[in-house]
Amino acid sequence: MDFSTLRNLISRYCAGEENWVDSRTVYIGHKEPPPGAEAYIPQRFPDNRIVSSKYTFWNFIPKNLFEQFRRIANFYFLIIFLVQLIIDTPTSPITSGLPLFFVITVTAIKQGYEDWLRHKADNAINQCPVHVIQHGNVVRKQSRKLRVGDIVRVKEDESFPCDLILLSTSRDDGTCFVTTASLDGESSHKTYYAVQDTKAFNTEEAIDTIHATIECEQPQPDLYKFVGRINIYLARDEPVARPLGSENLLLRGATLKNTEYIYAVAIYTGMETKMALNYQSKSQKRSAVEKSMNSYLIVYLCILIGKALINTILKYVWQADPNRDEPWYNERTESERQRHILIRAFTDFLAFMVLFNYIIPVSMYVTVEMQKFLGSYFITWDDDMFDEELDTGALVNTSDLNEELGQVEYVFTDKTGTLTENNMEFIECCVDGHVYVPHAICNGQVMAAAAGIDMIDSSPGAESREHEELFFRAVCLCHTVQVKEEETVDGIKRGIHQGKATSFYISSSPDEVALVEGMKRLGFTYLRLKDSHMEILNREDEIERFELLEVLNFDSVRRRMSVIVRSNTGEYYLFCKGADSAIFPRIVSGKVDEVRARVEHNAVEGLRTLCVAYKKLSHIEYEEVCHLLSSAKLALQDRDKKLSEAYDTIERDFILLGATAVEDRLQDKAADTIESLHKAGMKVWVLTGDKMETAAATCYASKLFRRSTQILELTTKRTEEQSLHDVLHDLSRTVLRQHGSMIRDTFSGLSNEFQDYGLIIDGATLSAVLKPAPEGGGGASGGNYKEIFLEICRNCSAVLCCRMAPLQKAQIVKLIKASKEHPITLAVGDGANDVSMILEAHVGIGIMGKEGRQAARNSDYAIPKFKHLKKMLLVHGHYYYIRIAELVQYFFYKNVCFIFPQFLYQFFCGFSQQPLYDTAYLTLYNISFTSLPILLYSLIEQHINMDILKKDPSLYRDIAKNSLLRWPIFIYWTFLGVFDAVVFFFGAFFLFDNTTFTSNGQMFGNWTFGTLVFTVLVFTVTLKLALDTHYWTWINHFVIWGSLLFYVIFSLLWGGIIWPFLNYQRMYYVFMQMLSSGPAWLSIILLIMVSLLPDVVKKVLCRALWPTTTERIQTKRACLTAEQSTIFMLSQTSSSISF
């Protein structure tokens, strides 16, 4: 072994070495390289088994229990249950154990069932048959047995079983067509390329003779990025190295189309495929309501500890008197006397904790989960959010954030495909200042009347004519459009014109299709790409052939793409098209001013513009370009960086030809939706990669900016004239001049009293604003720019961020999230470039658009169109929030009512830990007697009709900033619970005092007293919910009155029958005896009325003196209903009189 081989081995195996971390070597067909070529290092890779399930049969119980007991409430009840088992406590372990068991079991069954479905889906995928080439023969295997290095044959319409490198296809040119709809939602056919040196090996016998290795990067989740190279060992000693990129990589889940078969080698398998890496779970988002619940839980935990501590201290104060310490009926044992007082005190403290532990509502978590899970179906069932064109409705990917939809303060939206349709229509092109407008082309569909050319300016001269034709050729050649002849693609008929099949264009970019169709109407028709030659039909009906030599693909950083072609005459051309900001700085000649003026005019009109340029290359220059590109493509490390440097060197010194303009129409009701969001008090920001003028025109059209809005610019153009520091301070003074430092949250661009401001910022300036301050910098340095920028934004009714990179979109969202107000943010977008901001925002909403389904797949909710956002927030969000807010407050309230009488009872039983309620009542209170009414309320309550919520968006402001779960309201509910508990306990106590209740003069005992308190409690908390209910249906009546009836029937059965499994029945005949007393009936009715009175009085006073907008509408609606019923009665009376 020579030193170079040893060095390679060490570099591969040493931890932390870049080569080992970043690359892998795959041996095609598991063949070792020739002797002396390189060391054969067998590597272990996972098999092709996909595992989306969370549990196995063996680890389900321990793993699920571990996850459930990580929740603080479950863990707390487990501790209480264990304490009840270990020490002598006043209540049975069943009282804590049964509710806990119920909660754990229900959750485990739900999660187990979901995981079983995942197992089932995994098995279906893992057992699919695949065809592998072994020793020149086709062998059938299960998908899970596939290994890295296996050569696979895939037929048309089959899905790829793992990530593959394309070796050869049934086509002579080594291309194949693939749809990636299941990965990114793009249904267009994409072209992939076999390695040039292997494309001839297209039979089983030939492909088995390939001797090659592949070096590539380790698996990573980016679908659009791949770096590798293939070393092919031919007859000579040195292997031939060829670059591999994303155009050679076939991804698992994609489907082969319009190609009979392909041969490819498995490179990433199982959980290392890009699809599997993309489906890994996202970070958990928590709603503001959940955070409030946890805060309240801590408060109630402190109250519980305080209660137990007070009772423990008072018990020992009470027992300081020897006569009270050991009365004759409760003498202590010898072991109890000898126990240390601290141990006794601690045991008593734990016993009191157990007695009062029901103040912490464990069943609330189950009810909240059920409410979120079941409530999410109302979004998916909503017919108003169903789109017939896409044949799909709204989707809920996570139900944990339903109520957060009612708390949104900032909406960040993409422009293209979100506010606009992403349905491109070619409008015009400009060549050397001459404008050409075809009649009617719409996204690849040629209208019947669209014939001829409308020339707006005067006809060009001979030299301009040559430029014009070169421009048309450039647009026809500089693209990645595919031509299809078929009538049917994926079951959709396309290209049918006048009853016969014609060719049509498809591309991953709607802009490109519109441009090529536009050129077709202007006389230059792109025909096909055949044998690396692009064919064009010119105006004279002659076919021109250009050899396609290189494609410099578009990327969002360069914002341009180029092709290098060779004409029939042997001339080399580099054609480039891209954004004006990416083209103009690279122009050396051409009519720049005329074209720039037209581009700016079109941008103001809201059109998407692209500039087209070219340069001729000599043969020597072309050879230099080839060498530059090939060396960059062969690099394994930093290939993207080297390619971008190569592109930068190649794409310069252009001659400007002209520009194109394409219209992207505004989506239906987009303007109405944005206006409604503004009225609801939300700030709307548009984050787009488009140029400023185009984006600003869209903002005006969508009513984000109004004609009265004063536009403030924070752009590169302005920061070149002034320093960033001066510009920021000027803008800050402008927005704060009129109304001091008041934040305009409450106005949101609607009040006529204040000037509206709209801010426009571009990506370059944003980078400067967000740049961290240099160390040792002063107060005026970059460190303060963020705060000044945020202050300006807070005082603007709308903000437009243009020329944004995807990462910058996420940075903006993160910046607002982290500001001192900590507002709730929502991001909405439709493309892969929006995923980062969707994941960053509190709530992410994906639009099922034409840029693929990646945004919808990574979002919390997905909707068909932007207009559906209005109902999603103003109706569903509003309802979800008020429902869950009532649920949380009500649960704490009813548990205070439940356990505070138990605390008061200790003062009357010598702090002996005697329970006030029977074990059955303790156990079933939260599970059965009071759980269903609040669950149903939290699912169907509508305090205002949904039509009113849509018509009056300002109602959204009533619930903003978590207003129903603020501390004053929480304290009110808690004190209301304490008041009701005092009424229950002392009302029953004074009615009992020195009074005989039964007809035979018999006194009631402590269990009768406890049952009377419990009966008043159950009726009061249920009727309290009935008073809060505004939307009554037969289901409400059935559940509320049914719960009360169930309590009565259960009590009659529990106390009326001798149960054989009970050692003693302290409740036997207690309930019947209580109901046989007239005073007991009177006290129940009286105490319920007294308990409910303060809440009724408070509601009446608040509605009369300080009504909210919601309460005004409720009152107005009630008056209208009463008026209508009176008119109806009067009309009925008059008709009967006349009769």
Side-chain angles (χ1 to χ4, degrees):
M1 186 184 290
D2 61 8
F3 285 110
S4 63
T5 310
L6 185 64
R7 189 169 60 250
N8 282 339
L9 272 170
I10 293 168
S11 68
R12 285 180 189 279
Y13 278 101
C14 281
E17 276 293 329
E18 209 169 4
N19 286 348
W20 173 246
V21 172
D22 289 342
S23 67
R24 61 165 58 182
T25 303
V26 177
Y27 301 96
I28 296 178
H30 308 288
K31 293 177 185 173
E32 296 183 21
E38 63 174 283
Y40 175 60
I41 307 163
Q43 298 178 32
R44 292 178 63 85
F45 301 112
D47 60 18
N48 200 38
R49 189 182 286 110
I50 283 288
V51 181
S52 64
S53 55
K54 198 173 182 180
Y55 309 106
T56 65
F57 179 79
W58 304 107
N59 73 6
F60 173 70
I61 291 175
K63 192 173 180 180
N64 186 265
L65 288 177
F66 172 73
E67 286 175 353
Q68 290 207 57
F69 285 120
R70 285 171 69 185
R71 294 189 88 157
I72 188 168
N74 289 349
F75 184 71
Y76 162 76
F77 269 87
L78 177 66
I79 296 297
I80 292 293
F81 176 63
L82 294 175
V83 167
Q84 286 179 294
L85 288 174
I86 294 165
I87 67 170
D88 182 22
T89 54
T91 56
S92 166
I94 294 172
T95 57
S96 292
L98 193 62
L100 180 64
F101 178 77
F102 174 76
V103 168
I104 297 295
T105 305
V106 167
T107 310
I109 289 170
K110 173 179 169 282
Q111 291 177 350
Y113 174 70
E114 289 172 350
D115 206 60
W116 177 76
L117 292 177
R118 285 192 286 266
H119 270 284
K120 198 174 172 183
D122 289 347
N123 289 335
I125 293 168
N126 292 332
Q127 291 171 12
C128 275
V130 295
H131 298 94
V132 179
I133 309 300
Q134 288 183 353
H135 310 299
N137 299 314
V138 179
V139 178
R140 187 170 162 142
K141 278 186 178 181
Q142 284 187 345
S143 175
R144 62 190 175 88
K145 294 180 179 177
L146 205 59
R147 293 189 300 150
V148 170
D150 282 346
I151 298 174
V152 181
R153 186 179 76 177
V154 181
K155 293 182 180 177
E156 186 175 0
D157 292 326
E158 288 182 354
S159 291
F160 303 125
C162 60
D163 290 352
L164 306 162
I165 290 293
L166 182 59
L167 296 175
S168 63
T169 78
S170 58
R171 294 171 177 265
D172 294 335
D173 59 359
T175 60
C176 72
F177 299 107
V178 170
T179 59
T180 57
S182 61
L183 294 170
D184 56 16
E186 294 179 16
S187 57
S188 58
H189 290 43
K190 297 175 182 171
T191 309
Y192 286 81
Y193 302 90
V195 181
Q196 286 296 313
D197 300 75
T198 64
K199 70 179 183 181
F201 297 85
N202 55 6
T203 64
E204 286 89 353
E205 294 79 13
I207 202 78
D208 197 47
T209 63
I210 288 181
H211 207 174
T213 60
I214 291 173
E215 290 178 84
C216 62
E217 62 187 358
Q218 293 288 9
Q220 51 100 357
D222 191 334
L223 295 176
Y224 308 103
K225 184 184 173 192
F226 175 75
V227 177
R229 67 167 170 250
I230 183 169
N231 300 309
I232 304 161
Y233 300 100
L234 302 171
R236 56 184 184 275
D237 294 337
E238 283 296 315
V240 177
R242 293 282 181 260
L244 297 173
S246 56
E247 69 277 4
N248 309 114
L249 181 68
L250 306 172
L251 299 177
R252 177 180 193 135
T255 306
L256 185 66
K257 293 285 182 183
N258 301 336
T259 310
E260 191 180 338
Y261 61 84
I262 60 134
Y263 293 105
V265 60
I267 193 162
Y268 303 130
T269 53
M271 299 308 290
E272 290 188 341
T273 58
K274 288 181 180 286
M275 184 180 79
L277 294 173
N278 269 280
Y279 286 161
Q280 287 179 351
S281 58
K282 305 183 285 286
S283 60
Q284 187 69 30
K285 293 181 180 180
R286 292 169 64 223
S287 69
V289 171
E290 193 177 338
K291 292 170 188 171
S292 297
M293 279 168 54
N294 291 338
S295 303
Y296 297 164
L297 198 69
I298 291 167
V299 169
Y300 271 66
L301 199 57
C302 295
I303 291 171
L304 171 62
I305 293 168
K307 279 182 176 181
L309 207 58
I310 289 167
N311 274 266
T312 306
I313 293 166
L314 290 176
K315 177 175 181 175
Y316 283 89
V317 171
W318 167 266
Q319 290 180 351
D321 185 342
N323 293 326
R324 292 174 180 166
D325 189 22
E326 286 191 67
W328 59 270
Y329 55 84
N330 193 23
E331 287 188 8
R332 284 185 292 177
T333 61
E334 193 60 35
S335 61
E336 286 176 335
R337 288 195 185 94
Q338 290 176 356
R339 196 184 297 167
H340 195 278
I341 189 167
L342 288 178
I343 295 173
R344 277 191 286 146
F346 182 66
T347 307
D348 283 328
F349 172 75
L350 291 178
F352 280 118
M353 285 282 286
V354 168
L355 189 64
F356 302 139
N357 81 83
Y358 301 97
I359 198 170
I360 308 292
V362 66
S363 57
M364 178 178 71
Y365 285 91
V366 180
T367 310
V368 166
E369 276 198 12
M370 289 173 72
Q371 189 267 349
K372 288 181 175 183
F373 176 70
L374 296 172
S376 63
Y377 282 100
F378 289 114
I379 290 178
T380 56
W381 291 337
D382 192 337
D383 289 338
D384 291 345
M385 297 173 74
F386 183 86
D387 186 74
E388 291 182 1
E389 184 188 340
L390 295 172
D391 193 32
T392 186
L395 296 175
V396 178
N397 295 328
T398 174
S399 58
D400 291 339
L401 303 169
N402 293 345
E403 64 278 7
E404 205 82 328
L405 294 169
Q407 294 296 296
V408 175
E409 295 171 63
Y410 280 80
V411 174
F412 299 94
T413 174
D414 178 39
K415 184 183 81 71
T416 306
T418 304
L419 289 179
T420 60
E421 289 182 349
N422 202 14
N423 189 18
M424 307 302 173
E425 180 182 351
F426 183 82
I427 301 299
E428 67 170 51
C429 60
C430 166
V431 185
D432 289 346
H434 301 284
V435 180
Y436 302 77
V437 183
H439 279 244
I441 299 100
C442 181
N443 201 29
Q445 301 302 310
V446 182
M447 304 302 157
I453 304 169
D454 177 12
M455 298 276 299
I456 290 184
D457 291 339
S458 58
S459 296
E463 185 184 341
S464 295
R465 182 85 176 176
E466 185 184 332
H467 249 215
E468 169 202 307
E469 293 193 352
L470 193 59
F471 171 85
F472 292 154
R473 287 189 185 97
V475 178
C476 281
L477 296 170
C478 189
H479 56 72
T480 56
V481 170
Q482 298 166 31
V483 183
K484 294 294 172 193
E485 306 289 344
E486 298 83 1
E487 288 189 15
T488 307
V489 177
D490 290 343
I492 303 169
K493 288 195 180 272
R494 298 284 301 275
I496 306 298
H497 183 59
Q498 295 177 348
K500 57 184 180 181
T502 58
S503 62
F504 64 94
Y505 302 121
I506 58 172
S507 171
S508 55
S509 167
D511 296 72
E512 289 195 329
V513 174
L515 290 175
V516 175
E517 279 286 7
M519 293 304 102
K520 187 175 183 178
R521 300 311 304 152
L522 292 170
F524 278 76
T525 305
Y526 172 62
L527 296 176
R528 66 184 69 84
L529 172 65
K530 186 178 180 183
D531 300 328
S532 299
H533 284 76
M534 302 178 86
E535 296 181 0
I536 297 173
L537 186 69
N538 63 22
R539 284 178 183 156
E540 285 74 37
D541 287 338
E542 298 169 351
I543 293 178
E544 300 179 9
R545 283 169 59 88
F546 292 83
E547 185 182 356
L548 180 62
L549 301 171
E550 296 285 351
V551 177
L552 281 61
N553 286 316
F554 175 87
D555 65 64
S556 56
V557 179
R558 280 166 49 241
R559 299 182 63 78
R560 60 183 180 270
M561 77 159 288
S562 301
V563 293
I564 300 175
V565 296
R566 182 166 55 197
S567 67
N568 288 334
T569 57
E571 293 176 304
Y572 293 93
Y573 288 95
L574 190 154
F575 292 119
C576 181
K577 74 168 186 232
D580 55 332
S581 59
I583 299 291
F584 282 139
R586 296 171 180 272
I587 298 296
V588 291
S589 69
K591 297 190 177 179
V592 177
D593 293 336
E594 292 92 328
V595 174
R596 191 195 299 272
R598 194 67 195 175
V599 165
E600 288 175 358
H601 170 268
N602 287 333
V604 170
E605 293 294 316
L607 304 178
R608 293 164 65 87
T609 56
L610 287 174
C611 293
V612 181
Y614 85 104
K615 71 174 177 180
K616 282 187 178 180
L617 299 173
S618 65
H619 184 71
I620 295 168
E621 286 173 328
Y622 170 67
E623 291 290 338
E624 289 174 359
V625 166
C626 282
H627 176 71
L628 202 60
L629 287 174
S630 61
S631 60
K633 285 178 180 176
L634 280 171
L636 272 184
Q637 305 295 327
D638 300 323
R639 180 185 289 183
D640 288 344
K641 183 182 174 186
K642 289 173 182 173
L643 270 176
S644 65
E645 288 170 357
Y647 291 163
D648 187 59
T649 306
I650 296 163
E651 294 173 324
R652 54 181 59 190
D653 302 330
F654 286 129
I655 300 168
L656 184 64
L657 287 171
T660 62
V662 173
E663 183 181 24
D664 188 6
R665 288 198 187 94
L666 206 63
Q667 275 197 22
D668 180 36
K669 296 184 180 175
D672 173 61
T673 302
I674 285 182
E675 192 172 21
S676 297
L677 297 181
H678 266 147
K679 286 179 180 174
M682 289 176 240
K683 300 274 185 82
V684 182
W685 290 33
V686 173
L687 312 181
T688 179
D690 263 2
K691 62 178 72 64
M692 187 180 94
E693 295 81 6
T694 308
T698 305
C699 289
Y700 277 111
S702 62
K703 297 185 181 176
L704 185 75
F705 293 157
R706 296 164 178 276
R707 294 300 164 193
S708 60
T709 303
Q710 183 179 336
I711 302 299
L712 310 173
E713 288 187 19
L714 184 56
T715 56
T716 310
K717 184 180 177 183
R718 187 164 176 189
T719 52
E720 284 171 354
E721 298 165 2
Q722 275 181 285
S723 71
L724 178 62
H725 178 270
D726 292 342
V727 173
L728 282 168
H729 282 279
D730 283 352
L731 295 177
S732 180
R733 280 193 294 271
T734 303
V735 296
L736 297 178
R737 188 183 303 136
Q738 192 170 355
H739 45 78
S741 60
M742 180 165 58
I743 296 171
R744 298 166 46 87
D745 281 339
T746 52
F747 303 103
S748 197
L750 293 168
S751 174
N752 296 323
E753 200 176 326
F754 291 91
Q755 172 65 51
D756 273 340
Y757 293 106
L759 177 69
I760 298 177
I761 183 170
D762 60 17
T765 315
L766 180 71
S767 297
V769 168
L770 299 182
K771 186 188 272 186
E775 288 186 19
S781 67
N784 279 346
Y785 289 167
K786 278 186 193 176
E787 283 305 315
I788 300 169
F789 173 66
L790 280 171
E791 189 66 28
I792 295 165
C793 292
R794 281 190 206 106
N795 290 281
C796 291
S797 58
V799 178
L800 165 63
C801 304
C802 48
R803 299 294 195 196
M804 289 280 124
L807 193 60
Q808 285 182 310
K809 292 183 177 184
Q811 286 175 333
I812 281 276
V813 176
K814 191 173 183 179
L815 181 69
I816 296 298
K817 270 175 69 179
S819 62
K820 60 186 177 185
E821 296 90 5
H822 298 291
I824 304 298
T825 58
L826 178 144
V828 54
D830 72 317
N833 59 332
D834 303 315
V835 169
S836 53
M837 77 166 177
I838 283 172
L839 293 176
E840 184 62 48
H842 291 97
V843 183
I845 293 186
I847 305 281
M848 300 173 210
K850 297 185 179 179
E851 289 188 24
R853 295 290 169 93
Q854 220 172 336
R857 198 175 65 237
N858 284 279
S859 63
D860 303 304
Y861 303 88
I863 53 177
K865 295 281 171 63
F866 183 76
K867 66 180 179 181
H868 298 131
L869 188 64
K870 180 178 177 179
K871 189 172 186 184
M872 176 80 92
L873 298 181
L874 301 187
V875 178
H876 289 291
H878 197 122
Y879 282 158
Y880 283 134
Y881 178 72
I882 62 114
R883 289 166 183 168
I884 204 163
E886 175 87 10
L887 186 152
V888 171
Q889 300 280 29
Y890 178 78
F891 250 100
F892 283 109
Y893 157 78
K894 74 185 180 76
N895 279 41
V896 170
C897 292
F898 179 43
I899 218 65
F900 200 71
Q902 179 72 72
F903 171 72
L904 297 174
Y905 186 56
Q906 294 308 301
F907 288 85
F908 296 88
C909 66
F911 307 100
S912 61
Q913 296 140 21
Q914 168 68 31
L916 177 62
Y917 312 118
D918 179 61
T919 302
Y921 289 158
L922 285 169
T923 307
L924 297 177
Y925 176 73
N926 277 320
I927 293 178
S928 300
F929 300 147
T930 59
S931 59
L932 270 181
I934 184 60
L935 176 60
L936 189 76
Y937 175 97
S938 65
L939 288 173
I940 66 171
E941 169 65 1
Q942 295 181 19
H943 62 313
I944 294 180
N945 186 279
M946 65 174 65
D947 292 330
I948 295 173
L949 286 176
K950 280 196 284 188
K951 287 175 187 171
D952 189 356
S954 63
L955 292 169
Y956 193 87
R957 295 168 184 250
D958 278 359
I959 59 165
K961 297 185 183 295
N962 206 10
S963 62
L964 301 183
L965 285 173
R966 287 180 182 163
W967 286 105
I969 296 176
F970 168 71
I971 292 165
Y972 166 76
W973 277 86
T974 302
F975 275 106
L976 184 64
V978 170
F979 171 81
D980 288 353
V982 169
V983 170
F984 304 156
F985 183 81
F986 286 109
F989 178 78
F990 289 125
L991 287 166
F992 262 59
D993 194 29
N994 299 321
T995 309
T996 57
F997 269 62
T998 57
S999 56
N1000 61 4
Q1002 183 181 349
M1003 291 290 290
F1004 281 172
N1006 64 318
W1007 293 117
T1008 315
F1009 175 71
T1011 303
L1012 179 63
V1013 172
F1014 191 79
T1015 303
V1016 176
L1017 159 70
V1018 170
F1019 273 78
T1020 301
V1021 296
T1022 306
L1023 291 173
K1024 160 79 173 111
L1025 188 66
L1027 286 173
D1028 286 350
T1029 302
H1030 295 93
Y1031 184 69
W1032 283 94
T1033 64
W1034 68 267
I1035 308 175
N1036 294 74
H1037 286 289
F1038 176 76
V1039 169
I1040 286 178
W1041 313 125
S1043 291
L1044 295 177
L1045 187 62
F1046 173 73
Y1047 164 67
V1048 173
I1049 292 170
F1050 173 83
S1051 298
L1052 290 169
L1053 291 173
W1054 184 243
I1057 299 171
I1058 300 293
W1059 297 99
F1061 58 83
L1062 294 177
N1063 295 328
Y1064 62 93
Q1065 275 191 257
R1066 55 194 177 198
M1067 291 299 291
Y1068 182 66
Y1069 217 68
V1070 166
F1071 195 70
M1072 276 78 77
Q1073 186 192 39
M1074 184 190 78
L1075 294 183
S1076 67
S1077 165
W1081 281 91
L1082 180 66
S1083 62
I1084 289 169
I1085 294 166
L1086 190 64
L1087 291 175
I1088 290 170
M1089 290 174 68
V1090 172
S1091 301
L1092 294 173
L1093 188 64
D1095 193 48
V1096 173
V1097 170
K1098 179 251 178 189
K1099 278 188 168 68
V1100 171
L1101 286 175
C1102 285
R1103 280 173 181 270
L1105 301 176
W1106 310 283
T1108 61
T1109 313
T1110 304
E1111 287 168 348
R1112 284 195 199 100
I1113 286 173
Q1114 286 170 344
T1115 309
K1116 186 178 176 184
R1117 190 170 176 79
C1119 292
L1120 281 171
T1121 308
E1123 192 177 316
Q1124 285 168 0
S1125 62
T1126 307
I1127 292 167
F1128 176 74
M1129 287 170 66
L1130 287 171
S1131 64
Q1132 291 290 96
T1133 309
S1134 62
S1135 63
S1136 62
I1137 291 168
S1138 62
F1139 177 75

